[in-house]
Amino acid sequence: MEAFVERTSSEEKVLFYDFTVCDGVVFCREAYVGGEGALAHLANVDDLLKAALEISDLIRLEVHGAAAELDKMREPLADLPVDWFVLETGLVK
């Protein structure tokens, strides 16, 4: 987890990035400016993610955002267990 946080700290489009743990389940809470920011993050941590997936299971990946931003991510994340949450209302600054 520390390696992920360290690597992510240099990303320009990261808004927040942290981990919580409960009963052996690790939850990564993260947000980026747009789909491009999220995809840049995945490229940045690709080697770390591959190593993590050798010793753990990805239970679920929730991606929340505006429909146009989610559409940018659908193909690159097609092989992952993603639940897509489309922003309907809210305030984004």
Side-chain angles (χ1 to χ4, degrees):
M1 290 183 279
E2 290 177 8
F4 278 94
V5 172
E6 181 179 334
R7 180 89 55 91
T8 302
S9 68
S10 65
E11 296 175 11
E12 291 181 19
K13 294 191 176 190
V14 64
L15 297 172
F16 58 82
Y17 190 85
D18 56 40
F19 290 93
T20 54
V21 181
C22 178
D23 296 328
V25 175
V26 177
F27 180 80
C28 182
R29 184 176 155 269
E30 54 193 298
Y32 304 90
V33 176
E36 292 92 353
L39 292 173
H41 166 72
L42 289 173
N44 186 35
V45 299
D46 185 62
D47 61 321
L48 297 174
L49 185 56
K50 286 178 180 172
L53 291 174
E54 289 182 15
I55 60 169
S56 62
D57 295 318
L58 179 59
I59 297 170
R60 144 180 107 252
L61 180 62
E62 291 183 8
V63 181
H64 301 246
E69 297 303 315
L70 298 181
D71 287 345
K72 296 173 186 177
M73 302 175 65
R74 290 183 190 276
E75 186 176 328
L77 301 181
D79 294 333
L80 297 174
V82 180
D83 289 330
W84 301 96
F85 290 82
V86 179
L87 178 67
E88 295 292 331
T89 62
L91 176 64
V92 179
K93 293 185 177 188

